[in-house]
């Protein structure tokens, strides 16, 4: 079926046209998303979300390129939105862990002693790693802000934060628990 006729039928709520698009592209799109996510269930969820949105917005859908390209781009964007949500979620959990870590200690002298040891560990981080960690965790700055200020990529900030957190988790267990 020609793409324009298919899209016209889809806009008019033709379930057969929708099923045809779904059947033709679903497996291919799942494989595409799987290559990015390495998670089969997530891949299927993302592709199903894209098809659900297409059905919900069928009357207003505007596809200027090929249908296949539109689906590809939609799945790609949906995956990126998922990654961003997960990153925000991980950052929130990380902040909660740090807050709980300090809130656990009600004895002020014990708290101060452990805090000093933690700051000593932070000082042992490589300079750039330490600077990024301090800006993010102690100054509450966002990765994007840090990247812009330091003229580095957000990926570099993420990598340095990952290294810092790994180092601190490895060495902090000896005195924080």
């Amino acid at each position: 079926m020609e793409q324009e006729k298919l899209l016209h039928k889809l806009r008019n709520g033709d379930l057969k046209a929708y099923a045809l698009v779904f059947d033709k592209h679903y497996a291919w799109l799942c494989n595409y998303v799987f290559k990015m996510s390495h998670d089969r269930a997530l891949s299927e969820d993302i592709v199903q979300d894209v098809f659900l949105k297409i059905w919900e917005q069928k009357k207003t859908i505007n596809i200027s390129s090929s249908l296949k390209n539109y689906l590809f781009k939609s799945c790609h964007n949906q995956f990126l939105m998922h990654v961003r949500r997960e990153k925000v979620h991980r950052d929130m959990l990380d902040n909660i862990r740090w807050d709980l870590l300090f809130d656990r200690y009600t004895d002020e002298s014990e708290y101060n002693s452990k805090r000093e040891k933690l700051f000593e560990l932070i000082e042992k981080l490589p300079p750039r790693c330490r600077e990024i960690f301090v800006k993010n965790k102690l100054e509450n700055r966002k990765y994007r802000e840090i990247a812009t200020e330091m003229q580095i990529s957000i990926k570099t900030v993420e990598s340095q934060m990952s290294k810092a957190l790994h180092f601190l988790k490895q060495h902090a267990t000896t005195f924080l628990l």
Side-chain angles (χ1 to χ4, degrees), residues 146-163:
I146 297 167
T148 302
E149 180 185 316
M150 295 179 72
Q151 297 180 335
I152 57 177
S153 72
I154 292 176
K155 291 282 184 203
T156 301
V157 174
E158 291 172 354
S159 172
Q160 292 295 312
M161 282 300 297
S162 178
K163 287 178 186 175

Side-chain angles (χ1 to χ4, degrees), residues 102 110-120 175:
F102 286 116
E110 182 182 356
Y111 169 83
N112 288 335
S113 169
K114 291 180 190 263
R115 183 180 169 150
E116 280 180 40
K117 289 177 183 174
L118 181 59
F119 281 106
E120 287 172 15
F175 68 85

Side-chain angles (χ1 to χ4, degrees), residues 11-12 41 62 75 96 106-108 111 117 122 125 128 140 158 176:
R11 283 187 196 102
N12 289 325
N62 184 17
C75 287
I96 290 168
T106 53
D107 179 357
E108 196 169 319
Y111 169 83
K117 289 177 183 174
I122 292 170
L125 291 169
R128 185 178 196 186
N140 294 318
E158 291 172 354
L176 290 176

Side-chain angles (χ1 to χ4, degrees), residues 7-8 21 38 41 51 61 65 69 73 78 81 100 102 105 122 141 145 156 170 174:
L7 290 176
H8 178 73
V21 171
H38 305 288
F51 275 105
I61 198 166
S65 63
N69 286 343
K73 187 74 170 169
Q78 190 74 15
M81 284 177 26
L100 289 175
F102 286 116
Y105 303 104
I122 292 170
R141 310 255 312 271
E145 264 182 87
T156 301
Q170 261 186 329
T174 57

Side-chain angles (χ1 to χ4, degrees), residues 48-61:
Q48 289 169 12
D49 285 346
V50 166
F51 275 105
L52 181 62
K53 285 181 183 179
I54 287 173
W55 182 253
E56 290 172 343
Q57 299 170 358
K58 63 186 172 281
K59 299 270 187 216
T60 58
I61 198 166

Side-chain angles (χ1 to χ4, degrees), residues 20-120:
L20 181 68
V21 171
F22 184 89
D23 291 341
K24 184 175 181 181
H25 298 286
Y26 180 78
W28 176 82
L29 292 168
C30 284
N31 287 333
Y32 167 70
V33 176
F34 179 74
K35 287 179 184 175
M36 293 184 291
S37 69
H38 305 288
D39 183 331
R40 183 59 63 190
L42 175 63
S43 302
E44 292 172 358
D45 287 346
I46 286 173
V47 173
Q48 289 169 12
D49 285 346
V50 166
F51 275 105
L52 181 62
K53 285 181 183 179
I54 287 173
W55 182 253
E56 290 172 343
Q57 299 170 358
K58 63 186 172 281
K59 299 270 187 216
T60 58
I61 198 166
N62 184 17
I63 300 175
S64 57
S65 63
S66 74
L67 178 59
K68 187 175 181 179
N69 286 343
Y70 178 85
L71 293 169
F72 167 80
K73 187 74 170 169
S74 296
C75 287
H76 185 81
N77 291 340
Q78 190 74 15
F79 174 72
L80 292 177
M81 284 177 26
H82 170 78
V83 168
R84 286 184 197 111
R85 280 192 305 268
E86 285 299 308
K87 184 188 175 327
V88 167
H89 181 69
R90 279 193 310 270
D91 286 349
M92 287 173 33
L93 288 176
D94 192 36
N95 287 337
I96 290 168
R97 278 189 223 114
W98 278 94
D99 292 344
L100 289 175
L101 178 68
F102 286 116
D103 289 346
R104 276 175 59 179
Y105 303 104
T106 53
D107 179 357
E108 196 169 319
S109 65
E110 182 182 356
Y111 169 83
N112 288 335
S113 169
K114 291 180 190 263
R115 183 180 169 150
E116 280 180 40
K117 289 177 183 174
L118 181 59
F119 281 106
E120 287 172 15

